Amino acid sequence: MNTVRDVCVIGLGLIGGSVLRAAVASGRKAWGASTSTSDTEAAAADGYDVVGGDDAVAEALRRAAAADAVVVLAVPLTAVRSVLALVERHAPGCLLTDVTSVKVPVREAVRAVAPSVTFVGGHPMAGTAESGWQAAKDDLFSGAAWVTTVDDDTDLTAWREVSALAVALGARVVPLESETHDETVARVSHVGHLLAAVLASVGAAGGPVAAALAAGSFADGTRVAGTRPALVQAMTEGNRAALLPVVDEALGALGAARGSLASTGGLASTIEAGHEALRRMADQRNAPRTSVRVRLSAPDARDALLSVGHRGGHVTGFDGDVALADVP
């Protein structure tokens, strides 16, 4: 098994650019392409192997097909289907992964538009409010959780290759079904983007005085509102099915707080519940861990990998066809 394939990155923004930087830093041969002239020019100026011009993505994919490289889609959700059509045309049958923030819509798009490829969905839980090549870093994924999907039709040999790439870039792999990923990021990422947008609007309505008094708590609560709006819109609308019930849950909690404040003047229940919830998540994150080994050729390998992810564990490396993991 070739575990050190070349890497072809389509899209050179914050995440795609960081994948390219980190892949090169890990010792892999890697190149990238983008429809953004500013990103390709900046990447080339920094000494990276990038393809530019009107035919850039097709040219990079043809090169990937010739080299049997793993192709990494790092484009907004709104562009996924059009890029997949190019993948199917120029690199049919390739090993394909992505770094998009939702997984079910991408999986369904792959099945519909690029059925020849071997696909393993991916999502590194890393990023900043900045965007573009200049925001990319070769250590962005160091210590970060990186979901790689384990669905009913996932080829575990391909899953190993994609996961080994994520580990090589410094990440800890979390094996999850696409549906579980989307439900969870709706809770810990997407609803946060919506609340940050609302908080920013509420704060700004206070005018110059609010701007003068806004301090750390406001900055912490609104940081992601500085993300490029088109990216936030794509990921939140793209995860509509999973996000709607989470928004309802948040609105219910806010409604309960509002009712309590109006009737009794008390907010203790809401504030104490949030404080306890954050402490509980910290305890789960910092719980002692046990090492486990999952043999990918075993009949129950798929279930064993998902057990690692569902327990909050990570795959940290590989020994042949054995995934090395730690779980709380």
Side-chain angles (χ1 to χ4, degrees), residues 257-273:
R258 196 263 179 210
S260 180
L261 182 63
S263 61
T264 68
L267 288 172
S269 178
T270 297
I271 293 169
E272 289 172 3

Side-chain angles (χ1 to χ4, degrees), residues 37-297:
T37 301
S38 60
D39 283 340
T40 53
E41 289 180 350
D46 286 342
Y48 288 86
D49 184 356
V50 294
V51 183
D54 294 339
D55 197 40
V57 173
E59 182 180 341
L61 289 171
R62 288 192 290 267
R63 183 174 169 186
D68 194 25
V70 57
V71 176
V72 182
L73 292 192
V75 299
L77 183 61
T78 51
V80 163
R81 282 184 173 259
S82 61
V83 176
L84 284 174
L86 292 174
V87 172
E88 184 70 2
R89 179 178 179 183
H90 298 289
C94 71
L95 174 57
L96 178 73
T97 188
D98 74 310
V99 291
T100 313
S101 58
V102 293
K103 298 274 64 76
V104 172
V106 175
R107 181 189 67 194
E108 298 310 307
V110 170
R111 289 174 176 175
V113 180
S116 75
V117 307
T118 300
F119 176 67
V120 178
H123 181 205
M125 301 300 294
T128 70
E130 300 176 347
S131 60
W133 171 264
Q134 298 293 6
K137 302 188 296 182
D138 63 10
D139 62 350
L140 183 68
F141 311 115
S142 180
W146 187 313
V147 173
T148 54
T149 57
V150 181
D151 292 323
D152 289 342
D153 60 350
T154 300
D155 181 302
L156 293 187
T157 299
W159 178 88
R160 183 205 183 284
E161 289 203 55
V162 169
S163 298
L165 172 61
V167 170
L169 303 192
R172 299 170 299 164
V173 167
V174 182
L176 289 175
E177 309 96 322
S178 295
E179 288 80 3
T180 301
H181 167 276
D182 288 0
E183 292 166 5
T184 305
V185 296
R187 290 184 175 278
V188 299
S189 176
H190 298 171
V191 75
H193 278 274
L194 293 185
L195 291 175
V198 171
L199 288 173
S201 296
V202 169
V209 176
L213 298 186
S217 62
F218 184 77
D220 289 345
T222 59
R223 178 185 64 83
V224 295
T227 306
R228 188 154 59 91
L231 295 178
V232 177
Q233 183 179 350
M235 71 181 180
T236 51
E237 292 178 355
N239 202 23
R240 178 178 181 272
L243 184 55
L244 272 173
V246 176
V247 171
D248 287 341
E249 188 176 330
L251 290 174
L254 285 172
R258 196 263 179 210
S260 180
L261 182 63
S263 61
T264 68
L267 288 172
S269 178
T270 297
I271 293 169
E272 289 172 3
H275 183 82
E276 170 60 21
L278 195 62
R279 183 202 62 76
R280 189 166 62 250
M281 289 184 73
D283 287 347
Q284 291 168 341
R285 187 181 302 112
N286 298 321
R289 291 179 172 259
T290 301
S291 297
V292 299
R293 295 166 62 90
V294 178
R295 186 169 296 280
L296 300 181
S297 58

